[in-house]
Structure formats: C-alpha cells, structure tokens
Amino acid sequence: MSEAKAEILRRVRASLVDSPVAPVATRAYRTESEKSAQEVREMLVDRLVDYKANVYEETVETVAERIEKLLGKSSRYVIPKGLDLAWLPEDSAARRHLVDSGNGQKAGSLTDRELDAVDAVVTSSTVSCAETGTIFLNASDSEGRRAITLVPDHHICVVPADTIVELIPESLHRVNEERPITMISGPSATSDIELQRVEGVHGPRTLDVIILDR
C-alpha cells in the first residue's frame, strides 16, 4: 500500500471513530410522473434527437425492415444471446449476425478484436428516462455484456415503448442494481479543452434508437 493511500485511510478511520450518524437526505424532488405516456414519449424523442441520435418509431411488424435498412445490404453484426430474433432481418450472403454468449470468460463470446471488426450491434434496453434522454442497459440476455455495446461503431438500440418513463427515480426503480448498468445519452462524444467535439472516443459514433410499439 502506498504512503498516500495509507494516509487517506488513516484520516477516514479517524473521522469515523466516534460513529457519527449520517444526516437524513431531503428528497423533495419528483419521484412519479404526472405526464401522459404520449407526452413522455415525445420528450424522450426530443432529447435523443438533441443528442444527435437517430430515432425511428416502429411496430413488431415493421421493426425487422427498419433494422435491415439501418444495417445495409452488407454487414456483420453482433447480437446478445437473448435478443428476439423476430426483430431481425433474414441473414443473406452479405449480411449475417453473430451471437455473443454474454460471458467474456467463456466460449461463445466475441473477443475485443472480433467486436472491433463487426459493423454494428443490435440490442434491446431495460428502461429509458425521457427527462434526461437516457437509455439504460442492465446486462440482461437481450442487452448483453457492456463490451458489445461499446466496441462496435454503430449501435441499433430497441426501446420498447412501454419501458419509457419520465424521471430518473422511475428509471432506477426498474433496474437491477446488482448487475452492470450502462446509461446511454446519444452517440459517444467528448470535447477537448478548446471545446472541439470528438465523437466515438468511448463508444459508438452512430446511435440508432427504435421505439417499438408491441
């Protein structure tokens, strides 16, 4: 252990020696939406478009056609093992999907190099917060492990309409805190000290969101 770390821990322990009681947090913020489902949906679309995501609204009957258009005629793309195959277009000689098992330590999962070579990833999502324009992935079988949504440069994310909520507290109520949580608010982007925007540094440069009525 470094001297600096030991000093930090010593000070933390010293500050807790009298077992102080933590103050009760004031939670005066809203925890439940009063807006209609349509208002909440329109708010999410507005936020996502503002974050430079592409947004489409589809039904169970049309979602495969939309994904086919987004993938293009030629592509290799990855999906998590639990994704609904009815959402996908049929494979062809030039377009096919690869299934990731969801465990990077076991057979059946793609390596980082293999993920870097695919053209896109298609996943579902757990919940989406309209107020912040944030999509939550919770490592379920239909969303996969975090790596498959960070390495490919194009993410097609299906957002079931009945999983859209307005507020962060409503979103957190629907996620499993014991599993990895990935929060997405538009394509990956960052800015340097001169505010020059650079996209794709920490994740996909293209984010296509399909709001699915089912």
Side-chain angles (χ1 to χ4, degrees):
M1 182 184 302
S2 67
E3 292 184 10
K5 185 175 182 180
E7 176 62 16
I8 291 171
L9 292 175
R10 187 191 66 76
R11 294 188 183 188
V12 170
R13 293 189 182 102
S15 67
L16 298 175
V17 68
D18 57 349
S19 303
V21 178
V24 177
T26 301
R27 304 186 188 280
Y29 48 80
R30 293 185 300 146
T31 58
E32 294 184 8
S33 175
E34 296 179 352
K35 297 182 182 297
S36 69
Q38 184 60 33
E39 289 176 313
V40 173
R41 178 171 175 155
E42 291 173 358
M43 181 188 296
L44 176 66
V45 172
D46 178 73
R47 300 291 193 275
L48 290 171
V49 170
D50 191 46
Y51 295 153
K52 301 185 183 302
N54 306 308
V55 183
Y56 308 89
E57 300 187 48
E58 304 293 344
T59 66
V60 173
E61 290 74 24
T62 63
V63 64
E65 182 179 354
R66 172 59 62 189
I67 291 177
E68 181 177 22
K69 290 179 180 177
L70 295 174
L71 290 170
K73 294 183 179 179
S74 177
S75 71
R76 294 171 68 251
Y77 64 101
V78 61
I79 63 170
K81 64 179 182 181
L83 191 72
D84 189 343
L85 297 180
W87 295 355
L88 303 178
E90 291 186 5
D91 282 356
S92 65
R95 183 188 59 238
R96 69 184 181 94
H97 70 270
L98 308 171
V99 179
D100 185 86
S101 67
N103 188 331
Q105 306 300 316
K106 295 185 178 179
S109 65
L110 276 66
T111 65
D112 291 346
R113 188 180 296 276
E114 290 171 327
L115 287 173
D116 191 42
V118 301
D119 299 298
V121 56
V122 182
T123 74
S124 185
S125 56
T126 294
V127 62
S128 295
C129 175
E131 188 174 54
T132 61
T134 305
I135 300 168
F136 290 68
L137 307 185
N138 204 191
S140 70
D141 285 348
S142 63
E143 297 156 22
R145 59 194 173 105
R146 181 171 288 164
I148 72 169
T149 60
L150 294 181
V151 180
D153 203 31
H154 180 192
H155 186 182
I156 301 172
C157 186
V158 177
V159 172
D162 56 4
T163 66
I164 301 173
V165 299
E166 182 193 358
L167 305 171
I168 285 291
E170 294 174 304
S171 303
L172 295 179
H173 184 68
R174 296 195 183 199
V175 299
N176 182 346
E177 298 176 356
E178 296 182 353
R179 308 185 66 155
I181 301 171
T182 302
M183 291 179 278
I184 303 168
S185 294
S188 170
T190 188
S191 295
D192 63 18
I193 195 170
E194 296 182 342
L195 301 182
Q196 298 296 318
R197 181 183 172 95
V198 179
E199 298 180 341
V201 176
H202 307 296
R205 280 180 289 190
T206 302
L207 175 63
D208 290 322
V209 179
I210 300 175
I211 297 178
L212 178 65
D213 290 296
R214 56 183 181 180

